Amino acid sequence: MTSQIIFLCLFIIAITAFSINARRIYRNIRLGKPVDRSDNPTQRLKLMVLVAFGQKKMFKKPLPAILHLLVYLGFCIINVEMLEIIIDGIFGTHRVFAHLGEFYNFLIFCFEILAFGVLASCIIFIFRRNAMRIFRFQGKELKHWPKTDANLILITEILLMSAFLIMNAADLKLQQLNIPAYPLAGSFPISTLLVNILPENVASLVVIERTAWWFHIIGVLLFLNYLPISKHLHILLAFPNTYFSKLTPKGKFDNMDSVTQEVKAMLDPTLPAPSGEVTRFGVKDVKDLTWKNLLDAYTCTECGRCSAACPATITGKLLSPRKIMMDTRDRLEEVGRHLATQPLQQDDGKSLIDDYITREEIWACTTCNACVEQCPVNINPLEIILGLRQYSVLEESNAPSSINTMFSNMENNAAPWKYAQTDRANWANQ
């Protein structure tokens, strides 16, 4: 009964803490401007199934895709067993679903194979991330905490899977010794290989089995509450993020409604005045972004596929699309903390542009959409970059000289070049 009470208390505390963190993230995302992404539900559901569930875009790189698929399937399917562990922990039972017979044996068999797959994949991932000079893992934004975070996740999964297999191995040996509390149940293709290295003493085996059981469940509960402060949050947010993806072609840019209304009003005075007050053109801070942009920031996996495909990053420019998303998330967290502690003071004196993202970064972008195309969970860094550019130009009249020259040419010649309209077709005579 004591262990059941301890388990129930830990479980309630973990779920409560996770709920608080989930509400905080939801509140921060709601700081963004509204945008309607409720159209074409069938198409959106299909996109979510293909990209989030099926990991369609991951398979542009087959080897990491297969390894990630093993981790993904292992994480999803093995956690089905968490239901049994929770029931056992609350009611003091042991392998409560063992009465399912052969089906239960099949489930445990699959869990073991997947657990080993997760274990092997995470070891390979640690080696790839730390020992191999892979370009997308070398960005300066991955120094310090982001690098530690990635390694912590992999180490945690290795420890959890190891505990799971050791628990099963000790359980299997206790079954073989005909201990009444451990009836024959399950099929253990991997744990069988560990049985011979375990002690023969029943008391020691029980301690090993119980220790591994508690380590596994406490580790899962701690990991659950580590998610909200980790890049691994994408395992939850990838599904809504892909569902609410932009369905129009990636190269299609939307006009700003506020600017369109102002221009129409100037060109045709008979039109009604624009409704509503325009507080800002473009994006200065995270609250000028849409809620989908902020969801993108929390969903970022920091995998670096966007930066590895970005021509600006490849050629040594300051821009890294991954850093854009990480900076947006960091700024959003800062704004959320500020509003939580000082709700009456809306402005903390900082902004996304300049304090987090520099002008050099946003103007290095070629708007080629390579980052959008490569992202495995349909994140769109380009929308944030364009919003910051719009603020710089429309609010501050602050743009690089080459851009200002282009604007001047477009105003005077209706083209980006300095040639007069009457000379525009002269190239055909060459």
Side-chain angles (χ1 to χ4, degrees):
M1 181 60 71
T2 302
S3 65
Q4 292 171 242
I5 294 173
I6 293 173
F7 176 86
L8 189 58
C9 290
L10 290 174
F11 183 74
I12 292 173
I13 291 171
I15 297 299
T16 301
F18 177 77
S19 299
I20 293 172
N21 286 323
R23 284 198 299 269
R24 172 183 59 79
I25 292 171
Y26 178 74
R27 182 191 65 226
N28 288 349
I29 292 173
R30 288 290 301 273
L31 293 174
K33 291 183 176 179
V35 60
D36 185 15
R37 294 290 172 87
S38 60
D39 59 317
N40 300 311
T42 303
Q43 185 179 354
R44 292 186 178 280
L45 185 62
K46 179 181 177 181
L47 187 65
M48 182 180 71
V49 170
L50 288 175
V51 176
F53 281 101
Q55 303 187 56
K56 175 183 177 181
K57 297 175 76 172
M58 288 286 294
F59 280 87
K60 293 178 180 179
K61 298 182 181 294
L63 176 60
I66 292 171
L67 295 175
H68 187 274
L69 182 64
L70 282 173
V71 175
Y72 167 71
L73 290 175
F75 183 87
C76 293
I77 297 175
I78 292 173
N79 279 331
V80 173
E81 195 194 13
M82 286 300 299
L83 178 61
E84 181 181 56
I85 292 176
I86 290 170
I87 293 174
D88 286 345
I90 294 174
F91 296 100
T93 53
H94 182 73
R95 296 194 178 273
V96 69
F97 294 145
H99 67 276
L100 297 176
E102 288 301 319
F103 181 65
Y104 183 79
N105 294 344
F106 171 75
L107 287 177
I108 299 300
F109 180 91
C110 293
F111 294 159
E112 289 239 328
I113 296 297
L114 288 171
F116 180 76
V118 172
L119 186 62
S121 298
C122 288
I123 291 173
I124 295 173
F125 279 142
I126 285 183
F127 178 79
R128 278 171 52 83
R129 181 172 288 272
N130 296 283
M132 299 175 66
R133 301 291 297 176
I134 298 175
F135 177 76
R136 62 189 177 93
F137 294 145
Q138 304 304 314
K140 64 181 183 300
E141 66 271 15
L142 285 190
K143 306 297 183 184
H144 309 300
W145 169 247
K147 182 176 181 179
T148 302
D149 174 39
N151 286 325
L152 277 176
I153 291 168
L154 293 172
I155 292 170
T156 299
E157 291 188 354
I158 289 172
L159 292 175
L160 289 177
M161 294 304 102
S162 298
F164 173 75
L165 293 174
I166 292 171
M167 175 188 73
N168 281 350
D171 194 301
L172 174 59
K173 192 155 190 175
L174 287 165
Q175 292 181 30
Q176 293 173 348
L177 293 174
N178 297 317
I179 305 303
Y182 295 86
L184 292 175
S187 180
F188 308 96
I190 306 299
S191 297
T192 299
L193 305 176
L194 305 175
V195 167
N196 292 332
I197 65 175
L198 296 176
E200 298 293 333
N201 182 272
V202 173
S204 298
L205 287 171
V206 171
V207 169
I208 291 172
E209 190 273 335
R210 286 291 86 191
T211 300
W213 187 92
W214 278 103
F215 182 89
H216 183 75
I217 185 59
I218 293 175
V220 169
L221 295 177
L222 290 175
F223 186 70
L224 178 68
N225 283 281
Y226 180 68
L227 288 181
I229 62 170
S230 164
K231 79 183 188 72
H232 221 53
L233 186 60
H234 74 270
I235 64 176
L236 300 178
L237 296 186
F239 303 103
N241 198 71
T242 51
Y243 181 85
F244 293 117
S245 298
K246 191 176 181 179
L247 299 181
T248 53
K250 294 180 178 64
K252 181 181 178 181
F253 297 134
D254 296 326
N255 292 327
M256 295 176 60
D257 290 337
S258 53
V259 174
T260 301
Q261 292 177 12
E262 293 286 345
V263 171
K264 284 182 177 179
M266 287 189 294
L267 294 177
D268 188 355
T270 62
L271 292 175
S275 58
E277 180 182 356
V278 178
T279 57
R280 179 168 290 143
F281 293 108
V283 173
K284 180 183 180 182
D285 209 352
V286 288
K287 289 192 283 187
D288 301 320
L289 295 167
T290 68
W291 63 263
K292 178 57 171 64
N293 297 140
L294 303 184
L295 179 60
D296 278 350
Y298 273 122
T299 309
C300 180
T301 71
E302 300 177 15
C303 67
R305 285 174 173 81
C306 55
S307 295
C310 175
T313 307
I314 294 171
T315 54
K317 304 295 191 302
L318 191 61
L319 173 66
S320 168
R322 171 174 56 195
K323 181 178 177 295
I324 295 293
M325 303 313 303
M326 294 171 68
D327 287 342
T328 302
R329 181 181 61 211
D330 291 344
R331 174 57 181 161
L332 180 56
E333 282 285 299
E334 184 180 46
V335 170
R337 288 192 298 269
H338 174 76
L339 293 177
T341 55
Q342 303 181 55
L344 299 180
Q345 184 182 349
Q346 294 291 314
D347 188 4
D348 64 354
K350 296 182 180 180
S351 63
L352 182 61
I353 193 168
D354 292 330
D355 290 304
Y356 281 80
I357 300 173
T358 65
R359 310 289 172 130
E360 184 179 351
E361 288 177 86
I362 63 174
W363 290 111
C365 177
T366 67
T367 66
C368 67
N369 271 293
C371 57
V372 184
E373 174 63 31
Q374 288 295 319
C375 180
V377 288
N378 285 6
I379 291 170
N380 194 329
L382 185 56
E383 284 189 355
I384 298 176
I385 294 172
L386 290 179
L388 295 170
R389 282 183 175 183
Q390 289 166 342
Y391 170 78
S392 180
V393 172
L394 297 175
E395 291 271 353
E396 300 179 324
S397 299
N398 183 1
S401 58
S402 58
I403 302 294
N404 286 327
T405 300
M406 181 194 68
F407 288 157
S408 178
N409 289 333
M410 290 181 68
E411 182 179 3
N412 296 323
N413 305 323
W417 306 280
K418 63 181 179 180
Y419 308 110
Q421 294 187 42
T422 55
D423 300 331
R424 186 175 297 174
N426 287 351
W427 65 271
N429 299 323
Q430 301 299 320

